[in-house]
Every structure is written in structure tokens, then in C-alpha cells.
């Protein structure tokens, strides 16, 4: 399931349904397709990078126009 969702996220917009930590269900239209992502301008400053957590997926929420994330173990379907 994870590999299929990631493939679809890179191809276009996907509706991912998951349970938030408070138990509320959330349906999010999101993507990892480069044509939807915001341009990142290099300001010359070094950015601190957090270690990648394989249990959490960051995505671009196309409705909120912001980065959001979900936990893979809380996905209901896509």
C-alpha cells in the first residue's frame, strides 16, 4: 500500500484518508508531484535537517497550500 500511494503522490493529486492523533478522520488532497510544489528559493542560509522518520510522510496539501504530514500506520485508504 505505501509504495502504491507514494507512486500516485509523485504522479498527481491523491486523496489520503487517515485518523488524526485525536481520533478524527481527515481526508486530504495532497501530492508530491513537482509541478504542484512551491518553488524554494535559496537564501544562502544553511538549513537544519531533521532525521527522516519512515513512519511519517510529508506531503503538499493542495487545498491548504501548505506542507502537512500523516502517519502511515493511521492511513485508512487512498
Amino acid at each position: 500500500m505505501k509504495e502504491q500511494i507514494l507512486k500516485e503522490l509523485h504522479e498527481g493529486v491523491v486523496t489520503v484518508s487517515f485518523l488524526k492523533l485525536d481520533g478524527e478522520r481527515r481526508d486530504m488532497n495532497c501530492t508530491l508531484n513537482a509541478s504542484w510544489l512551491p518553488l524554494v528559493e535559496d537564501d544562502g542560509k544553511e538549513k537544519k535537517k531533521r532525521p527522516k522518520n519512515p513512519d511519517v510522510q510529508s506531503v503538499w496539501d493542495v487545498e491548504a497550500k501548505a506542507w502537512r504530514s500523516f502517519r502511515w500506520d493511521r492511513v485508512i485508504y487512498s
Side-chain angles (χ1 to χ4, degrees), residues 5-61:
I5 294 172
L6 283 171
K7 179 179 180 284
E8 292 174 11
L9 283 166
H10 285 285
E11 292 173 351
V13 177
V14 178
T15 300
V16 176
S17 298
F18 58 95
L19 293 177
K20 294 175 25 178
L21 293 178
D22 66 4
E24 180 183 342
R25 180 185 169 137
R26 167 103 153 82
D27 297 324
M28 178 170 46
N29 294 317
C30 52
T31 189
L32 291 173
N33 184 292
S35 65
W36 284 84
L37 302 182
L39 293 176
V40 177
E41 294 185 26
D42 185 7
D43 60 5
K45 296 180 183 175
E46 191 172 327
K47 307 273 190 277
K48 288 186 178 180
K49 285 201 167 194
R50 289 190 261 170
K52 182 155 174 65
N53 182 344
D55 299 329
V56 177
Q57 181 63 51
S58 295
V59 293
W60 182 255
D61 183 329

